[in-house]
């Protein structure tokens, strides 16, 4: 526990040094109408960056990514003040649909509500009569806890503009969020609690994570954490949790501090193009006590990164799945360039200098089986990666 507290202190200091809180929290209630579903009303609680704290106050200058958060079963949005009080001061608009709070909720309807609010807020950005006119960034996330976490999975199928997915102790839904996960390719992070007896990870979060088709996904299990401790006290959640085992072995504040320390840099990396936040997240998830984790990627911070649509016309690696050797062919466009190979956690494992439009044999030379990313560095620019996979036993 002493090591864990040291980790939390380091995380808190580094997080607030890199991403200083500069905004107050504004709040407004607004009801949106989805005309495509018989004019369905979707009341929402919206928290947003402001220069003063209060209800119906003006939004701060700038454009802010939208995070739509789905509540848990028979839970209210007010249980998630830890979410908006962490994210809004750091430059995010956080929206909570307050629909489907009964004992017989429709998971499909709730998922559609979550997705609809993403597009509705982007429309608010274009509406000169809206308090959010000109203030909504193009990037967005769907998020949720328990039932809302499973519904966030479902929501991704209803709006292709959603950029990332975040879930906390997600519960399998009807229709199945596990089945939908197989269609999800956007970056995703799944938070789980090892002592969750309400939606046990092996039956809920693990199958959803395993089924995700995302090329970059992360799974974080908080050791000793529980289902309800991803939120503040809510009597309905805690009554349910009190009837099952195992019980949590850490406090809510510890669980929430660990979650926040990872969540904010992950969001900043994807939704604010903050390269250094990727390094911060990767360092924390790789070295943290108090969690166990798995990833199929690394949030690599690469200075001067250049997305190149025609990258594959200048460099090819064949085959890109191999056990011993592959052939790299590059055009003269990469004269005197350097080829850099990184493993799935971002470490450089191979460098080939002086690409000059020639054919090069790539030998695995002791590299373990797995996925690797091949970059080209030319004149201080780093071009978009190719992905290769090494499989089979080395001779």
């Amino acid at each position: 526990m002493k090591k864990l507290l040291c980790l939390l202190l380091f995380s808190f200091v580094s997080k607030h040094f890199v991403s200083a809180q500069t905004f107050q929290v504004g709040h407004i209630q607004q009801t949106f109408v989805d005309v495509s579903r018989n004019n369905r009303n979707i009341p929402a609680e919206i928290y947003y960056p402001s220069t003063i704290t209060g209800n119906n106050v003006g939004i701060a200058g700038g454009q802010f990514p939208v995070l739509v958060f789905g509540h848990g079963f028979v839970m209210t949005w007010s249980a998630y003040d830890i979410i908006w009080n962490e994210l809004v001061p750091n430059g995010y608009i956080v929206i909570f649909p307050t629909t489907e709070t009964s004992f017989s909720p429709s998971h499909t309807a709730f998922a559609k509500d979550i997705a609809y609010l993403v597009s509705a807020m982007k429309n608010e950005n274009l509406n000169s009569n809206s308090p959010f006119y000109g203030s909504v960034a193009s990037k967005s996330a769907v998020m949720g806890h328990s039932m809302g976490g499973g519904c966030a999975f479902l929501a991704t199928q209803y709006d292709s503009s959603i950029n990332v997915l975040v879930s906390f102790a997600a519960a399998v839904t009807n229709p199945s969020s596990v089945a939908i996960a197989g269609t999800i390719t956007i970056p995703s992070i799944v938070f789980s609690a090892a002592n969750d007896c309400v939606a046990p990870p092996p039956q809920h979060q693990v199958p959803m994570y395993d089924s995700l088709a995302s090329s970059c996904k992360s799974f974080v299990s908080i050791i000793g954490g529980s289902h309800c401790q991803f939120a503040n006290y809510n009597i309905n959640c805690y009554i349910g949790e009190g009837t099952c085992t195992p019980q949590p072995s850490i406090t809510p504040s510890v669980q929430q501090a660990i979650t926040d320390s990872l969540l904010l840099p992950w969001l900043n990396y994807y939704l604010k193009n903050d390269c250094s936040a990727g390094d911060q997240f990767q360092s924390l998830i790789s070295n943290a006590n108090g969690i166990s984790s798995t990833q199929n990627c690394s949030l690599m911070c690469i200075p001067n990164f250049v997305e190149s649509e025609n990258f594959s016309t200048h460099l090819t690696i064949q085959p890109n799945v191999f056990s011993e050797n592959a052939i790299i062919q590059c055009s003269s466009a990469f004269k005197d360039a350097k080829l850099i190979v990184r493993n799935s956690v971002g470490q450089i494992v191979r460098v080939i200098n002086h690409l000059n439009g020639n054919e090069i044999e790539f030998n695995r030379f002791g590299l373990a089986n797995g996925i690797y990313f091949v970059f080209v560095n030319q004149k201080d620019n780093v071009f978009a990666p190719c992905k290769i996979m090494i499989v089979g036993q080395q001779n």
Side-chain angles (χ1 to χ4, degrees), residues 56-327:
N56 304 311
V57 296
I59 192 168
Q63 288 195 318
F64 309 103
V66 167
L67 314 175
V68 183
F69 192 103
H71 60 75
F73 176 63
V74 295
M75 293 181 67
T76 64
W77 94 97
S78 57
Y80 302 100
D81 59 342
I82 57 170
I83 295 294
W84 77 71
N85 282 324
E86 173 65 20
L87 297 178
V88 172
N90 285 286
Y92 290 95
I93 299 171
V94 186
I95 309 172
F96 298 86
T98 58
T99 55
E100 303 304 323
T101 57
S102 74
F103 283 93
S104 56
S106 166
H107 295 162
T108 296
F110 196 39
K112 289 182 176 180
D113 292 345
I114 291 170
Y116 183 80
L117 289 179
V118 171
S119 59
M121 282 303 294
K122 291 178 181 179
N123 289 334
E124 292 290 290
N125 185 63
L126 304 174
N127 179 4
S128 60
N129 294 317
S130 168
F132 301 103
Y133 176 60
S135 300
V136 182
S138 61
K139 291 191 174 182
S140 60
V142 288
M143 309 169 67
H145 171 235
S146 191
M147 176 187 79
C151 288
F153 275 72
L154 300 182
T156 60
Q157 67 188 303
Y158 301 118
D159 187 342
S160 61
S161 74
I162 294 167
N163 298 103
V164 297
L165 165 68
V166 183
S167 66
F168 307 92
V172 174
T173 55
N174 182 21
S176 172
S177 49
V178 176
I180 289 298
T183 69
I184 297 173
T185 59
I186 58 176
S188 304
I189 185 167
V190 175
F191 285 95
S192 179
N195 288 17
D196 186 342
C197 61
V198 176
Q203 288 78 49
H204 292 267
Q205 300 94 55
V206 172
M208 281 188 267
Y209 174 81
D210 287 344
S211 297
L212 279 169
S214 307
S215 60
C216 194
K217 60 181 181 179
S218 301
F219 183 91
V220 177
S221 175
I222 299 179
I223 298 169
S226 78
H227 187 84
C228 296
Q229 290 185 170
F230 282 114
N232 279 339
Y233 179 80
N234 176 270
I235 188 169
N236 290 327
C237 190
Y238 276 80
I239 287 175
E241 188 171 71
T243 62
C244 62
T245 56
Q247 291 293 297
S249 60
I250 60 173
T251 65
S253 60
V254 168
Q255 180 168 334
Q256 292 159 15
I258 294 172
T259 303
D260 289 345
S261 70
L262 293 166
L263 175 62
L264 184 60
W266 191 90
L267 289 172
N268 285 347
Y269 177 80
Y270 281 112
L271 300 185
K272 294 190 174 184
N273 301 316
D274 184 344
C275 185
S276 63
D279 282 344
Q280 183 186 359
F281 173 84
Q282 207 58 50
S283 176
L284 286 171
I285 199 172
S286 300
N287 301 301
N289 295 305
I291 67 168
S292 60
S293 64
T294 185
Q295 296 175 278
N296 71 341
C297 64
S298 174
L299 276 61
M300 292 178 286
C301 182
I302 302 174
N304 304 312
F305 184 79
V306 177
E307 293 282 358
S308 177
E309 293 182 359
N310 61 352
F311 180 78
S312 61
T313 67
H314 296 302
L315 186 139
T316 60
I317 303 176
Q318 295 294 335
N320 60 5
V321 179
F322 60 93
S323 60
E324 289 294 331
N325 302 292
I327 299 298

Side-chain angles (χ1 to χ4, degrees), residues 47-66:
Y47 294 86
Y48 54 91
S50 178
T51 56
I52 57 173
T53 299
N55 296 319
N56 304 311
V57 296
I59 192 168
Q63 288 195 318
F64 309 103
V66 167

